[in-house]
């Protein structure tokens, strides 16, 4: 019996109680009923405070509601007893067979355990990283690569139709600065004051010369710059895509900013907003009246010289996404873009959409790599910034991704490279991966000892306290995934995996799957193997969601 079943039974009991006492049924779903694991296992397997939530609308003492609900719950198969505690908390204890049966359920469901339907039928566009093609990906972009890819996996597990999208900034002043930097490197000139430095610039410049295949010295400066711009951007973006792929991150769509201007998408967006009555002209420029939607000032879309302002691309891009059929558009931006949120939400509302629903903005904070207590400041290749490649070189893909995902993305993060390099329990990714490898080792040794899962499963035998605790945490996985999807917080999955690993290691120390010496194989050994393999499955499924491998040996 899992939490979904218990929540549904609770909701049914509330409906029956409301009908009996002439009370209005509250407006909430089974998934909104809070169920928690009691800190003291003597208080039961699950606890709920739903009676306190009903007290005010029903004008009844919460303890009286809890006592009435308990009579319904006690009649439900799989529930052994129900106690009311304090002002109205309901403690629920399951039959051992109902609790232990989860192990077989998990093994049978395999990779699908934890998946849900929160976003079934919903088309989601998830735009993340979108680093300018002017240099390697810095640590802020690397964080979004790990978090964004994990969030995409979690949203898919919650039933969503997810498209990973990279917005390719190949239009604007930064591209001109990049091409001028490449020319300077080629000609041996100083880096332009507003240009880009680092060894990678010299590498790209040399590759442009090789790819062009002709004598660049005969070209006028402007034509030379165009060669370096077109070839250099393509080469740099190729490196970015390769780095992301090696980091386990690939995209479904690479959207080119230039296409918005070439296809007249900006003009179409302006016309749509004009039809909706939100455009006005002043001082020779075209404006969007964003103050009608909570922005601090109105925004220029087309400047008086006819050039498109930065927000023009945002308007066209958002409309393009909506026309492609995306119900929800999630954009992940760096900390330096915090000031963009107000105007982006106003833009969404101006199109007649709902901010926070049709458009969501996630802001990620900065990341520091720390070694020997000191933050890393320099990259061997990029010069003044620390890059994705620096992280991978230091600790590898798995440790790097896990470290970036396991903390809330809206908080600044310091990653201790010394800790991540250790194969100890202080290293969280090692702790979780080792738990999974241990489940695999137990399964291999069980096979050698003749312990076969298929020969018996007697769930009521899983009665030891550490087994109840492990089953309880395994039961939480579907709800953790649903919460991570709804709250856009992949770190919930990572922290949950650490909790599972902790309960598993304690269970491993107390309960044997493999008989010792001349001890015969019993149904208890076989049933415990189901629990071992169920734990491995949950760890495997969770590690996949955070984009980290689940090794079978370590």
């Amino acid at each position: 019996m899992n939490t979904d079943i218990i929540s549904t039974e609770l909701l049914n009991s509330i409906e029956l109680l409301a009908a009996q006492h002439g009370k209005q049924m509250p407006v909430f779903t089974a998934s909104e009923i809070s169920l928690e694991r009691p800190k003291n296992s003597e208080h039961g397997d699950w606890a709920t405070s739903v009676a306190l939530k009903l007290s005010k609308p029903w004008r009844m003492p919460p303890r009286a509601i809890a006592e009435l609900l308990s009579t319904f719950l006690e009649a439900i198969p799989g529930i052994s007893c129900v106690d009311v505690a304090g002002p109205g908390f309901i403690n629920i204890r399951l039959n051992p067979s109902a609790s232990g049966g989860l192990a077989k359920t998990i093994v049978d469901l395999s990779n699908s355990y934890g998946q849900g339907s929160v976003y079934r039928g919903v088309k989601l566009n998830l735009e993340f990283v979108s680093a300018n093609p002017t240099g390697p990906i810095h640590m802020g972009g690397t964080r979004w690569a790990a978090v964004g890819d994990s969030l995409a996996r979690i949203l898919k597990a919650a039933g969503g139709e997810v498209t990973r999208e990279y917005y390719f900034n190949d239009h604007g002043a930064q591209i001109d600065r990049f091409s001028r930097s490449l020319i300077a490197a080629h000609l041996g000139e100083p880096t332009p004051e507003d240009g880009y430095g680092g060894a990678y610039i010299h590498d790209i410049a040399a590759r442009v010369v090789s790819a062009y295949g002709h004598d660049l010295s005969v070209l006028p400066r402007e034509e030379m710059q165009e060669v370096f711009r077109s070839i250099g951007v393509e080469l740099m973006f190729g490196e970015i895509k390769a780095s992301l792929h090696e980091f386990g991150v690939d995209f479904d769509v690479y959207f080119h900013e230039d296409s918005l201007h070439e296809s007249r998408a900006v003009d179409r967006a302006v016309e749509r907003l004009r039809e909706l009555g939100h455009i006005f002209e002043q001082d020779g420029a075209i404006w969007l009246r964003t103050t009608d939607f909570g922005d601090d000032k109105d925004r220029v879309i087309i400047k008086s010289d006819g050039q498109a302002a930065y927000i023009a691309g945002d308007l066209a891009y958002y409309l393009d996404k909506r026309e492609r059929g995306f119900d929800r558009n999630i954009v992940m931006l760096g900390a330096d873009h915090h000031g963009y949120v107000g105007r982006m939400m106003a833009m969404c509302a101006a199109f007649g959409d709902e901010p926070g629903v049709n458009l969501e903005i996630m802001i990620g904070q900065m990341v520091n790599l720390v070694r020997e207590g000191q933050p890393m400041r320099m990259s061997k290749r990029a010069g003044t910034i620390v890059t994705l490649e620096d992280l991978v070189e230091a600790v590898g893909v798995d440790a790097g991704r896990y470290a970036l995902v396991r903390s809330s993305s809206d908080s600044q993060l310091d990653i201790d490279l010394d800790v991540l390099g250790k194969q100890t329990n202080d290293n969280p990714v090692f702790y979780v991966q080792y738990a999974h490898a241990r489940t695999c080792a137990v399964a291999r040794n069980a096979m050698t000892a003749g312990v076969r899962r298929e020969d018996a499963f007697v769930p009521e035998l899983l009665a030891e306290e550490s087994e109840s605790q492990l089953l309880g945490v395994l039961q939480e996985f579907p709800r953790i995934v649903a919460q991570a999807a709804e709250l856009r917080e992949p770190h919930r999955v990572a922290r949950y995996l650490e909790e599972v690993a902790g309960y598993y290691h304690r269970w491993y120390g107390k309960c044997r799957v493999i008989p010792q010496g001349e001890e015969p194989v019993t149904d208890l050994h076989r049933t415990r193997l189901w629990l071992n393999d169920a734990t491995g499955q949950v760890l495997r499924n969770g590690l996949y969601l955070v984009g980290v491998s689940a090794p079978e040996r370590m």
Side-chain angles (χ1 to χ4, degrees):
M1 179 177 285
N2 59 31
T3 52
D4 290 341
I5 294 174
I6 298 171
S7 297
T8 300
E9 294 290 359
L10 265 169
L11 187 61
N12 292 338
S13 299
I14 292 167
E15 290 175 347
L16 289 170
L17 191 58
Q20 283 186 4
H21 293 265
K23 302 296 184 180
Q24 185 174 356
M25 186 62 194
V27 182
F28 56 73
T29 63
S31 63
E32 294 172 313
I33 294 177
S34 173
L35 280 172
E36 297 178 353
R37 297 286 297 178
K39 293 181 180 179
N40 187 340
S41 61
E42 293 180 0
H43 295 161
D45 297 302
W46 295 102
T48 179
S49 59
V50 69
L52 281 71
K53 190 174 182 179
L54 294 169
S55 178
K56 186 175 181 180
W58 282 10
R59 297 182 181 179
M60 290 175 62
R63 188 174 178 90
I65 296 172
E67 289 172 347
L68 290 168
L69 283 174
S70 67
T71 60
F72 289 105
L73 294 171
E74 285 173 342
I76 296 169
I79 293 179
S80 63
C81 66
V82 181
D83 296 319
V84 177
F89 296 102
I90 301 173
N91 294 325
I92 302 168
R93 185 176 296 281
L94 305 179
N95 292 329
S97 60
S99 178
L102 177 68
K104 188 175 188 304
T105 298
I106 293 172
V107 173
D108 289 345
L109 287 174
S110 187
N111 295 340
S112 64
Y113 181 67
Q115 295 180 7
S117 58
V118 173
Y119 290 109
R120 182 172 294 161
V122 179
K123 292 188 66 175
L124 300 106
N125 182 289
L126 185 60
E127 180 201 336
F128 59 104
V129 184
S130 297
N132 289 336
T134 55
I137 299 173
H138 58 66
M139 283 310 303
T142 304
R143 186 179 200 177
W144 272 148
V147 173
D149 184 68
S150 178
L151 181 56
R153 293 166 186 245
I154 289 168
L155 290 169
K156 281 190 173 183
E161 300 175 31
V162 182
T163 294
R164 295 170 171 86
E165 187 147 319
Y166 189 114
Y167 186 58
F168 183 34
N169 299 93
D170 53 353
H171 182 91
Q174 80 278 359
I175 300 299
D176 292 334
R177 293 198 300 272
F178 177 62
S179 59
R180 289 199 300 271
S181 302
L182 293 176
I183 289 177
H186 169 62
L187 297 177
E189 299 172 352
T191 301
E193 187 175 339
D194 60 349
Y196 300 93
Y200 78 94
I201 287 292
H202 293 272
D203 293 342
I204 295 293
R207 290 172 61 193
V208 169
V209 173
S210 176
Y212 183 65
H214 302 287
D215 185 3
L216 281 166
S217 63
V218 300
L219 297 178
R221 185 87 176 199
E222 287 186 4
E223 290 185 26
M224 187 186 297
Q225 182 170 323
E226 178 56 29
V227 170
F228 276 95
R229 188 200 69 80
S230 59
I231 299 178
V233 166
E234 184 178 347
L235 291 172
M236 188 70 252
F237 192 52
E239 287 201 4
I240 289 172
K241 289 171 72 173
S243 296
L244 288 168
H245 178 73
E246 291 172 9
F247 200 53
V249 179
D250 294 291
F251 290 84
D252 304 300
V253 174
Y254 293 94
F255 192 98
H256 289 256
E257 182 183 7
D258 247 353
S259 69
L260 295 172
H261 300 272
E262 294 172 358
S263 66
R264 301 186 62 83
V266 170
D267 295 337
R268 291 197 302 274
V270 171
E271 284 309 305
R272 174 72 64 84
L273 292 167
R274 193 187 301 277
E275 291 168 4
L276 292 168
H278 305 313
I279 294 292
F280 69 97
E281 297 187 17
Q282 182 176 302
D283 300 327
I286 298 175
W287 298 67
L288 175 61
R289 193 173 282 106
T290 52
T291 51
D292 286 353
F293 305 100
D295 197 6
D296 58 349
K297 61 181 180 181
D298 294 327
R299 303 289 172 175
V300 174
I301 303 175
I302 306 297
K303 303 173 188 177
S304 56
D305 62 2
Q307 296 295 310
Y310 189 83
I311 194 175
D314 293 332
L315 297 171
Y317 188 35
Y318 176 74
L319 181 59
D320 180 87
K321 287 180 179 179
R322 293 291 280 141
E323 289 177 341
R324 280 187 275 152
F326 292 109
D327 307 300
R328 290 175 175 263
N329 299 277
I330 305 169
V331 182
M332 308 171 81
L333 299 175
D336 56 339
H337 286 75
H338 194 276
Y340 281 57
V341 176
R343 73 188 73 172
M344 294 285 281
M345 290 306 174
M347 171 197 75
C348 171
F351 278 115
D353 289 341
E354 185 177 352
V357 175
N358 301 113
L359 176 64
E360 299 174 47
I361 307 291
M362 294 175 62
I363 299 293
Q365 297 302 319
M366 295 301 294
V367 180
N368 295 311
L369 299 187
V370 178
R371 174 167 276 158
E372 297 179 353
Q374 298 297 318
M376 289 178 60
R377 299 295 185 193
M378 302 289 285
S379 169
K380 287 182 290 185
R381 184 162 184 259
T384 57
I385 62 170
V386 181
T387 68
L388 183 157
E389 287 84 357
D390 296 321
L391 175 65
V392 171
E393 182 181 346
V395 297
V397 171
D398 279 350
R401 285 190 61 142
Y402 193 92
L404 290 165
V405 170
R406 75 182 293 263
S407 297
S408 175
S409 57
D410 60 5
S411 61
Q412 187 163 317
L413 177 61
D414 291 334
I415 295 179
D416 192 326
L417 298 177
D418 298 318
V419 171
L420 286 181
K422 296 178 180 177
Q423 290 195 343
T424 68
N425 289 345
D426 293 333
N427 179 354
V429 67
F430 174 83
Y431 187 63
V432 174
Q433 288 183 317
Y434 181 68
H436 179 266
R438 176 172 269 179
T439 67
C440 296
V442 168
R444 288 193 300 270
N445 293 335
M447 182 179 293
T448 302
V451 181
R452 288 168 44 87
R453 238 184 18 223
E454 297 79 3
D455 290 342
F457 178 64
V458 188
E460 56 267 28
L461 294 178
L462 299 175
E464 210 274 337
E465 183 178 3
S466 65
E467 291 173 327
S468 297
Q469 292 174 340
L470 180 55
L471 284 162
V473 74
L474 296 180
Q475 198 168 54
E476 285 280 81
F477 186 50
R479 190 161 62 160
I480 293 294
V481 175
Q483 287 179 342
E486 291 183 279
L487 298 174
R488 316 296 191 243
E489 294 181 343
H491 72 271
R492 290 176 176 267
V493 174
R495 295 303 176 118
Y496 166 79
L497 292 175
E498 293 167 35
E499 188 179 6
V500 171
Y503 278 108
Y504 175 74
H505 289 311
R506 287 191 286 276
W507 172 77
Y508 176 87
K510 292 181 177 181
C511 299
R512 294 196 62 83
V513 173
I514 302 162
Q516 291 182 295
E518 300 301 318
E519 181 185 359
V521 175
T522 67
D523 286 349
L524 177 58
H525 296 116
R526 300 180 183 103
T527 303
R528 282 178 171 169
L529 181 57
W530 282 93
L531 180 54
N532 175 82
D533 293 356
T535 305
Q537 187 67 61
V538 169
L539 290 169
R540 196 154 51 250
N541 292 357
L543 284 167
Y544 170 78
L545 292 180
V546 295
V548 174
S549 69
E552 296 186 4
R553 288 181 170 83
M554 290 185 72

